[in-house]
Amino acid sequence: MISIGLIGVGGICQVHLKNLVKMSGVQIAAVCDIDPHRAQEVGKQLDATPYTRYRNMLRREHFDACYVCLTPSVHGTIEYELAEAQIPFFVEKPVHLKLEFCEGVLNEVDKHNLITAVGYHWRYMDTTKAVKAFIAKRRITAVDGGWQGAIPEHALWWPQMKLSGGQLVEQATHIVDLARYLAGDIDTVFASGTKGAFADIDKYDIYDASLTNLQFDSGAVGVISTGCVASGTVPSRVGLTVSGRGWQADVKQRDGQIIHERGKRKLKDNAKDFIEQIGRGDAAFIHAVKTGKTDRIRSTYRDATQTLAVTLAANESMRTGEPVTVERFM
Ligand SMILES: NC(=O)c1ccc[n+]([C@@H]2O[C@H](COP(=O)([O-])OP(=O)(O)OC[C@H]3O[C@@H](n4cnc5c(N)ncnc54)[C@H](O)[C@@H]3O)[C@@H](O)[C@H]2O)c1
């Protein structure tokens, strides 16, 4: 039996929990949320000890692993402290808003050769796997993706730059991460954004829409767009297309396709819902904690820090109007 602790038991943690409670040999021993009602309620549901301060929880409990499901601005030194205590952790994306904190975590993770995983679930999709296999011996020339989505309801932190980092850092990060997973690392970004269309929303100060040009190490070029456009009858448009000479491959949230010289292949993600999509990353992490074998994990803290570096460089480029070289962690 492995013992798991949870830090932050809001929206996405509930999705992970649906997967974790079905796994054999996994016990949720304690939960922590600064919202005392939430901590009590979730603790009661799981027969786990509730805490409102993670340090108290870490002092009193002995975990084999921890989940950290916090909004971007409140990670502080939590992952550093977990790494220092040699507790393997799964953390939700984006891993932080400040790269200097991630660097400290990475040093500690390396020191202890610690297992880490991050919730970039697009890497685990069947569509992504098919595209990854298809491009293995092909040269990507262009990457074209975006997240034209909606402002998440009830997430008051989301439209505030200092709390979320903005749509590229918080939401379209999945697409930037997928671009890196398929096309390799990004050297330079050059981005622009627009503001003002949502001035009526209290404290809204993120970009309404953005375009980020990407220059990959491989020589490929790319662009990622974001926009808060979906509402009512206007659907979201989310996904990534990679292409090269004579071929094109698309990955979307549930499906995709590959078009090449010899025809067209439709792709489908076989997970029955979002919970199952998220569950693949959970299974990979728990397998690693139980066995010590990390080969199923497709997104580590180091890799996710590199994705964060790209999106933060894009924010800097939007602010300054200049191209920005991406800081390296890989
Ligand atoms: N992988 C995905 O597709 C996916 C989907 C949704 C959200 N997310 C990510 O998950 C993260 C969390 O999002 P959410 O929607 O669950 O947010 P949420 O606000 O619903 O939950 C966060 C919880 O953390 C608690 N909290 C805040 N500070 C704390 C602290 N110091 N100690 C303990 N608890 C604390 C809050 O009270 C809240 O209950 C975000 O970074 C988001 O980007 C990922």
Side-chain angles (χ1 to χ4, degrees):
M1 183 69 76
I2 60 165
S3 167
I4 307 278
L6 308 176
I7 303 178
V9 290
I12 194 63
C13 185
Q14 297 304 318
V15 178
H16 290 295
L17 268 176
K18 289 202 168 70
N19 294 311
L20 292 173
V21 296
K22 281 198 229 143
M23 291 179 191
S24 65
V26 173
Q27 186 204 5
I28 313 292
V31 303
C32 171
D33 200 292
I34 48 161
D35 177 339
H37 301 296
R38 198 169 270 180
Q40 285 289 345
E41 196 185 305
V42 178
K44 202 167 162 196
Q45 273 166 23
L46 297 167
D47 198 18
T49 313
Y51 291 87
T52 51
R53 286 166 193 250
Y54 74 91
R55 283 193 183 128
N56 289 346
M57 180 171 90
L58 296 182
R59 243 192 319 269
R60 289 186 202 147
E61 307 281 342
H62 295 281
F63 298 125
D64 297 299
C66 254
Y67 267 67
V68 183
C69 297
L70 297 172
T71 52
S73 70
V74 300
H75 287 266
T77 56
I78 291 178
E79 290 81 5
Y80 180 86
E81 291 171 58
L82 289 172
E84 206 179 24
Q86 301 189 43
I87 301 171
F89 58 82
F90 182 109
V91 56
E92 261 306 337
K93 46 54 62 178
V95 291
H96 212 287
L97 289 183
K98 297 209 163 80
L99 288 172
E100 58 271 29
F101 280 78
C102 302
E103 206 163 1
V105 177
L106 286 171
N107 288 338
E108 210 56 31
V109 163
D110 287 352
K111 203 194 290 178
H112 304 298
N113 198 18
L114 201 67
I115 296 165
T116 64
V118 180
Y120 281 110
H121 65 273
W122 285 65
R123 290 189 176 217
Y124 295 85
M125 295 189 333
D126 300 317
T127 44
T128 302
K129 194 172 164 196
V131 170
K132 187 101 170 140
F134 175 78
I135 61 175
K137 292 200 176 110
R138 288 179 165 84
R139 178 179 170 166
I140 295 175
T141 55
V143 175
D144 176 0
W147 196 295
Q148 300 295 329
I151 300 171
E153 277 177 50
H154 313 301
L156 299 177
W157 53 273
W158 197 84
Q160 297 184 55
M161 203 69 174
K162 70 172 192 294
L163 300 186
S164 70
Q167 193 180 11
L168 186 69
V169 170
E170 200 279 338
Q171 203 173 46
T173 182
H174 279 301
I175 304 302
V176 174
D177 187 71
L178 186 61
R180 289 189 50 250
Y181 186 55
L182 295 175
D185 268 313
I186 294 159
D187 180 69
T188 315
V189 297
F190 193 9
S192 55
T194 181
K195 288 186 176 185
F198 296 85
D200 56 309
I201 298 179
D202 191 32
K203 298 191 177 139
Y204 186 110
D205 67 349
I206 61 170
Y207 291 97
D208 307 337
S210 71
L211 279 179
T212 302
N213 283 294
L214 311 168
Q215 178 67 62
F216 289 83
D217 290 348
S218 67
V221 290
V223 64
I224 305 282
S225 69
T226 68
C228 301
V229 297
S231 71
T233 54
V234 182
S236 294
R237 199 157 39 83
V238 179
L240 186 81
T241 301
V242 289
S243 48
R245 185 170 175 177
W247 63 269
Q248 180 181 302
D250 298 321
V251 181
K252 296 187 191 151
Q253 275 167 312
R254 301 295 313 183
D255 58 8
Q257 64 176 8
I258 295 171
I259 308 174
H260 56 106
E261 304 85 349
R262 293 189 302 281
K264 185 192 281 193
R265 175 149 65 102
K266 293 256 181 228
L267 305 175
K268 185 174 170 305
D269 187 52
N270 290 315
K272 75 171 186 295
D273 54 23
F274 181 62
I275 298 166
E276 213 171 288
Q277 284 187 325
I278 293 282
R280 294 164 175 153
D282 293 324
F285 176 64
I286 296 298
H287 173 77
V289 173
K290 282 181 173 173
T291 65
K293 293 182 187 148
T294 55
D295 53 307
R296 296 185 191 172
I297 294 175
R298 297 197 190 145
S299 172
T300 61
Y301 193 86
R302 180 169 290 284
D303 211 322
T305 298
Q306 191 59 48
T307 295
L308 178 68
V310 176
T311 56
L312 290 179
N315 272 2
E316 189 187 334
S317 179
M318 282 184 236
R319 194 173 49 78
T320 60
E322 299 289 335
V324 175
T325 304
V326 177
E327 209 173 312
R328 291 299 175 124
F329 297 89
M330 300 283 287

mmCIF file with all atom_site columns, all heavy atoms in Angstrom, residues 1 44 56 83 101 118-119 152 159 163 177 179 181 193 205 295:
data_model
loop_
_atom_site.group_PDB
_atom_site.id
_atom_site.type_symbol
_atom_site.label_atom_id
_atom_site.label_alt_id
_atom_site.label_comp_id
_atom_site.label_asym_id
_atom_site.label_entity_id
_atom_site.label_seq_id
_atom_site.pdbx_PDB_ins_code
_atom_site.Cartn_x
_atom_site.Cartn_y
_atom_site.Cartn_z
_atom_site.occupancy
_atom_site.B_iso_or_equiv
_atom_site.pdbx_formal_charge
_atom_site.auth_seq_id
_atom_site.auth_comp_id
_atom_site.auth_asym_id
_atom_site.auth_atom_id
_atom_site.pdbx_PDB_model_num
ATOM 1   N N   . MET A 1 1   ? 0.852   -1.206 0.000   1.00 0.00 ? 1   MET A N   1
ATOM 2   C CA  . MET A 1 1   ? 0.000   0.000  0.000   1.00 0.00 ? 1   MET A CA  1
ATOM 3   C C   . MET A 1 1   ? 0.881   1.248  0.000   1.00 0.00 ? 1   MET A C   1
ATOM 4   O O   . MET A 1 1   ? 1.767   1.358  0.846   1.00 0.00 ? 1   MET A O   1
ATOM 5   C CB  . MET A 1 1   ? -0.897  -0.035 1.256   1.00 0.00 ? 1   MET A CB  1
ATOM 6   C CG  . MET A 1 1   ? -1.868  1.101  1.369   1.00 0.00 ? 1   MET A CG  1
ATOM 7   S SD  . MET A 1 1   ? -3.199  1.053  0.139   1.00 0.00 ? 1   MET A SD  1
ATOM 8   C CE  . MET A 1 1   ? -4.267  -0.214 0.778   1.00 0.00 ? 1   MET A CE  1
ATOM 9   N N   . LYS A 1 44  ? -13.243 14.018 4.908   1.00 0.00 ? 44  LYS A N   1
ATOM 10  C CA  . LYS A 1 44  ? -14.325 13.129 5.357   1.00 0.00 ? 44  LYS A CA  1
ATOM 11  C C   . LYS A 1 44  ? -14.670 12.101 4.266   1.00 0.00 ? 44  LYS A C   1
ATOM 12  O O   . LYS A 1 44  ? -14.784 10.904 4.537   1.00 0.00 ? 44  LYS A O   1
ATOM 13  C CB  . LYS A 1 44  ? -15.547 13.990 5.683   1.00 0.00 ? 44  LYS A CB  1
ATOM 14  C CG  . LYS A 1 44  ? -16.513 13.329 6.612   1.00 0.00 ? 44  LYS A CG  1
ATOM 15  C CD  . LYS A 1 44  ? -17.496 14.346 7.136   1.00 0.00 ? 44  LYS A CD  1
ATOM 16  C CE  . LYS A 1 44  ? -18.714 13.639 7.690   1.00 0.00 ? 44  LYS A CE  1
ATOM 17  N NZ  . LYS A 1 44  ? -19.828 14.543 7.873   1.00 0.00 ? 44  LYS A NZ  1
ATOM 18  N N   . ASN A 1 56  ? 2.321   21.660 8.424   1.00 0.00 ? 56  ASN A N   1
ATOM 19  C CA  . ASN A 1 56  ? 1.844   20.805 9.530   1.00 0.00 ? 56  ASN A CA  1
ATOM 20  C C   . ASN A 1 56  ? 1.621   19.387 9.032   1.00 0.00 ? 56  ASN A C   1
ATOM 21  O O   . ASN A 1 56  ? 1.979   18.411 9.683   1.00 0.00 ? 56  ASN A O   1
ATOM 22  C CB  . ASN A 1 56  ? 0.535   21.345 10.112  1.00 0.00 ? 56  ASN A CB  1
ATOM 23  C CG  . ASN A 1 56  ? 0.759   22.622 10.901  1.00 0.00 ? 56  ASN A CG  1
ATOM 24  O OD1 . ASN A 1 56  ? 1.901   22.948 11.226  1.00 0.00 ? 56  ASN A OD1 1
ATOM 25  N ND2 . ASN A 1 56  ? -0.307  23.350 11.187  1.00 0.00 ? 56  ASN A ND2 1
ATOM 26  N N   . ALA A 1 83  ? 10.661  18.094 -2.323  1.00 0.00 ? 83  ALA A N   1
ATOM 27  C CA  . ALA A 1 83  ? 11.889  17.491 -2.858  1.00 0.00 ? 83  ALA A CA  1
ATOM 28  C C   . ALA A 1 83  ? 12.932  17.325 -1.745  1.00 0.00 ? 83  ALA A C   1
ATOM 29  O O   . ALA A 1 83  ? 13.590  16.292 -1.651  1.00 0.00 ? 83  ALA A O   1
ATOM 30  C CB  . ALA A 1 83  ? 12.439  18.350 -3.998  1.00 0.00 ? 83  ALA A CB  1
ATOM 31  N N   . PHE A 1 101 ? 12.306  29.858 -8.773  1.00 0.00 ? 101 PHE A N   1
ATOM 32  C CA  . PHE A 1 101 ? 11.824  28.863 -7.807  1.00 0.00 ? 101 PHE A CA  1
ATOM 33  C C   . PHE A 1 101 ? 11.961  27.452 -8.398  1.00 0.00 ? 101 PHE A C   1
ATOM 34  O O   . PHE A 1 101 ? 12.335  26.520 -7.708  1.00 0.00 ? 101 PHE A O   1
ATOM 35  C CB  . PHE A 1 101 ? 10.359  29.137 -7.435  1.00 0.00 ? 101 PHE A CB  1
ATOM 36  C CG  . PHE A 1 101 ? 10.195  30.228 -6.415  1.00 0.00 ? 101 PHE A CG  1
ATOM 37  C CD1 . PHE A 1 101 ? 10.282  31.561 -6.780  1.00 0.00 ? 101 PHE A CD1 1
ATOM 38  C CD2 . PHE A 1 101 ? 9.955   29.913 -5.086  1.00 0.00 ? 101 PHE A CD2 1
ATOM 39  C CE1 . PHE A 1 101 ? 10.138  32.567 -5.842  1.00 0.00 ? 101 PHE A CE1 1
ATOM 40  C CE2 . PHE A 1 101 ? 9.805   30.908 -4.130  1.00 0.00 ? 101 PHE A CE2 1
ATOM 41  C CZ  . PHE A 1 101 ? 9.903   32.250 -4.512  1.00 0.00 ? 101 PHE A CZ  1
ATOM 42  N N   . VAL A 1 118 ? 4.114   15.860 -14.168 1.00 0.00 ? 118 VAL A N   1
ATOM 43  C CA  . VAL A 1 118 ? 3.313   17.082 -14.315 1.00 0.00 ? 118 VAL A CA  1
ATOM 44  C C   . VAL A 1 118 ? 2.107   16.773 -15.209 1.00 0.00 ? 118 VAL A C   1
ATOM 45  O O   . VAL A 1 118 ? 2.191   15.940 -16.124 1.00 0.00 ? 118 VAL A O   1
ATOM 46  C CB  . VAL A 1 118 ? 4.183   18.233 -14.886 1.00 0.00 ? 118 VAL A CB  1
ATOM 47  C CG1 . VAL A 1 118 ? 3.357   19.501 -15.051 1.00 0.00 ? 118 VAL A CG1 1
ATOM 48  C CG2 . VAL A 1 118 ? 5.374   18.501 -13.959 1.00 0.00 ? 118 VAL A CG2 1
ATOM 49  N N   . GLY A 1 119 ? 1.002   17.487 -14.945 1.00 0.00 ? 119 GLY A N   1
ATOM 50  C CA  . GLY A 1 119 ? -0.273  17.169 -15.598 1.00 0.00 ? 119 GLY A CA  1
ATOM 51  C C   . GLY A 1 119 ? -0.425  17.625 -17.042 1.00 0.00 ? 119 GLY A C   1
ATOM 52  O O   . GLY A 1 119 ? -1.497  18.122 -17.404 1.00 0.00 ? 119 GLY A O   1
ATOM 53  N N   . PRO A 1 152 ? -12.540 30.563 -17.811 1.00 0.00 ? 152 PRO A N   1
ATOM 54  C CA  . PRO A 1 152 ? -13.149 29.554 -16.930 1.00 0.00 ? 152 PRO A CA  1
ATOM 55  C C   . PRO A 1 152 ? -14.090 30.199 -15.918 1.00 0.00 ? 152 PRO A C   1
ATOM 56  O O   . PRO A 1 152 ? -13.714 31.170 -15.252 1.00 0.00 ? 152 PRO A O   1
ATOM 57  C CB  . PRO A 1 152 ? -11.949 28.919 -16.232 1.00 0.00 ? 152 PRO A CB  1
ATOM 58  C CG  . PRO A 1 152 ? -10.774 29.267 -17.058 1.00 0.00 ? 152 PRO A CG  1
ATOM 59  C CD  . PRO A 1 152 ? -11.082 30.567 -17.725 1.00 0.00 ? 152 PRO A CD  1
ATOM 60  N N   . PRO A 1 159 ? -8.464  35.574 -14.732 1.00 0.00 ? 159 PRO A N   1
ATOM 61  C CA  . PRO A 1 159 ? -8.193  36.744 -15.592 1.00 0.00 ? 159 PRO A CA  1
ATOM 62  C C   . PRO A 1 159 ? -7.205  37.741 -15.011 1.00 0.00 ? 159 PRO A C   1
ATOM 63  O O   . PRO A 1 159 ? -7.106  38.849 -15.529 1.00 0.00 ? 159 PRO A O   1
ATOM 64  C CB  . PRO A 1 159 ? -9.577  37.395 -15.759 1.00 0.00 ? 159 PRO A CB  1
ATOM 65  C CG  . PRO A 1 159 ? -10.521 36.654 -14.892 1.00 0.00 ? 159 PRO A CG  1
ATOM 66  C CD  . PRO A 1 159 ? -9.764  35.714 -14.045 1.00 0.00 ? 159 PRO A CD  1
ATOM 67  N N   . LEU A 1 163 ? -1.958  36.352 -10.866 1.00 0.00 ? 163 LEU A N   1
ATOM 68  C CA  . LEU A 1 163 ? -2.427  35.098 -10.266 1.00 0.00 ? 163 LEU A CA  1
ATOM 69  C C   . LEU A 1 163 ? -2.356  33.906 -11.221 1.00 0.00 ? 163 LEU A C   1
ATOM 70  O O   . LEU A 1 163 ? -2.141  32.769 -10.798 1.00 0.00 ? 163 LEU A O   1
ATOM 71  C CB  . LEU A 1 163 ? -3.870  35.262 -9.754  1.00 0.00 ? 163 LEU A CB  1
ATOM 72  C CG  . LEU A 1 163 ? -4.091  36.347 -8.687  1.00 0.00 ? 163 LEU A CG  1
ATOM 73  C CD1 . LEU A 1 163 ? -5.520  36.306 -8.172  1.00 0.00 ? 163 LEU A CD1 1
ATOM 74  C CD2 . LEU A 1 163 ? -3.106  36.175 -7.524  1.00 0.00 ? 163 LEU A CD2 1
ATOM 75  N N   . ASP A 1 177 ? 3.427   23.006 -24.759 1.00 0.00 ? 177 ASP A N   1
ATOM 76  C CA  . ASP A 1 177 ? 4.099   21.778 -24.313 1.00 0.00 ? 177 ASP A CA  1
ATOM 77  C C   . ASP A 1 177 ? 4.034   20.700 -25.393 1.00 0.00 ? 177 ASP A C   1
ATOM 78  O O   . ASP A 1 177 ? 5.021   19.995 -25.641 1.00 0.00 ? 177 ASP A O   1
ATOM 79  C CB  . ASP A 1 177 ? 3.453   21.283 -23.012 1.00 0.00 ? 177 ASP A CB  1
ATOM 80  C CG  . ASP A 1 177 ? 4.222   20.110 -22.427 1.00 0.00 ? 177 ASP A CG  1
ATOM 81  O OD1 . ASP A 1 177 ? 5.346   20.344 -21.937 1.00 0.00 ? 177 ASP A OD1 1
ATOM 82  O OD2 . ASP A 1 177 ? 3.745   18.968 -22.513 1.00 0.00 ? 177 ASP A OD2 1
ATOM 83  N N   . ALA A 1 179 ? 3.757   21.244 -28.588 1.00 0.00 ? 179 ALA A N   1
ATOM 84  C CA  . ALA A 1 179 ? 4.658   21.679 -29.664 1.00 0.00 ? 179 ALA A CA  1
ATOM 85  C C   . ALA A 1 179 ? 6.087   21.245 -29.356 1.00 0.00 ? 179 ALA A C   1
ATOM 86  O O   . ALA A 1 179 ? 6.798   20.724 -30.222 1.00 0.00 ? 179 ALA A O   1
ATOM 87  C CB  . ALA A 1 179 ? 4.580   23.198 -29.825 1.00 0.00 ? 179 ALA A CB  1
ATOM 88  N N   . TYR A 1 181 ? 6.949   18.767 -27.322 1.00 0.00 ? 181 TYR A N   1
ATOM 89  C CA  . TYR A 1 181 ? 6.992   17.298 -27.295 1.00 0.00 ? 181 TYR A CA  1
ATOM 90  C C   . TYR A 1 181 ? 7.160   16.736 -28.712 1.00 0.00 ? 181 TYR A C   1
ATOM 91  O O   . TYR A 1 181 ? 7.887   15.772 -28.935 1.00 0.00 ? 181 TYR A O   1
ATOM 92  C CB  . TYR A 1 181 ? 5.696   16.786 -26.659 1.00 0.00 ? 181 TYR A CB  1
ATOM 93  C CG  . TYR A 1 181 ? 5.652   15.293 -26.418 1.00 0.00 ? 181 TYR A CG  1
ATOM 94  C CD1 . TYR A 1 181 ? 6.640   14.649 -25.678 1.00 0.00 ? 181 TYR A CD1 1
ATOM 95  C CD2 . TYR A 1 181 ? 4.601   14.516 -26.926 1.00 0.00 ? 181 TYR A CD2 1
ATOM 96  C CE1 . TYR A 1 181 ? 6.585   13.288 -25.446 1.00 0.00 ? 181 TYR A CE1 1
ATOM 97  C CE2 . TYR A 1 181 ? 4.535   13.152 -26.691 1.00 0.00 ? 181 TYR A CE2 1
ATOM 98  C CZ  . TYR A 1 181 ? 5.536   12.537 -25.942 1.00 0.00 ? 181 TYR A CZ  1
ATOM 99  O OH  . TYR A 1 181 ? 5.481   11.186 -25.724 1.00 0.00 ? 181 TYR A OH  1
ATOM 100 N N   . GLY A 1 193 ? 0.389   40.911 -28.055 1.00 0.00 ? 193 GLY A N   1
ATOM 101 C CA  . GLY A 1 193 ? -0.922  40.656 -27.454 1.00 0.00 ? 193 GLY A CA  1
ATOM 102 C C   . GLY A 1 193 ? -1.770  41.904 -27.475 1.00 0.00 ? 193 GLY A C   1
ATOM 103 O O   . GLY A 1 193 ? -1.257  43.013 -27.668 1.00 0.00 ? 193 GLY A O   1
ATOM 104 N N   . ASP A 1 205 ? -6.881  41.678 -16.313 1.00 0.00 ? 205 ASP A N   1
ATOM 105 C CA  . ASP A 1 205 ? -5.752  42.416 -16.899 1.00 0.00 ? 205 ASP A CA  1
ATOM 106 C C   . ASP A 1 205 ? -4.841  41.528 -17.740 1.00 0.00 ? 205 ASP A C   1
ATOM 107 O O   . ASP A 1 205 ? -3.706  41.890 -18.041 1.00 0.00 ? 205 ASP A O   1
ATOM 108 C CB  . ASP A 1 205 ? -4.941  43.144 -15.811 1.00 0.00 ? 205 ASP A CB  1
ATOM 109 C CG  . ASP A 1 205 ? -4.213  42.170 -14.886 1.00 0.00 ? 205 ASP A CG  1
ATOM 110 O OD1 . ASP A 1 205 ? -4.480  40.950 -14.947 1.00 0.00 ? 205 ASP A OD1 1
ATOM 111 O OD2 . ASP A 1 205 ? -3.363  42.631 -14.107 1.00 0.00 ? 205 ASP A OD2 1
ATOM 112 N N   . ASP A 1 295 ? 9.708   5.049  -16.729 1.00 0.00 ? 295 ASP A N   1
ATOM 113 C CA  . ASP A 1 295 ? 9.638   5.092  -18.206 1.00 0.00 ? 295 ASP A CA  1
ATOM 114 C C   . ASP A 1 295 ? 8.250   5.471  -18.745 1.00 0.00 ? 295 ASP A C   1
ATOM 115 O O   . ASP A 1 295 ? 8.133   5.926  -19.878 1.00 0.00 ? 295 ASP A O   1
ATOM 116 C CB  . ASP A 1 295 ? 10.092  3.750  -18.803 1.00 0.00 ? 295 ASP A CB  1
ATOM 117 C CG  . ASP A 1 295 ? 9.337   2.585  -18.200 1.00 0.00 ? 295 ASP A CG  1
ATOM 118 O OD1 . ASP A 1 295 ? 9.313   2.486  -16.949 1.00 0.00 ? 295 ASP A OD1 1
ATOM 119 O OD2 . ASP A 1 295 ? 8.749   1.795  -18.955 1.00 0.00 ? 295 ASP A OD2 1
#
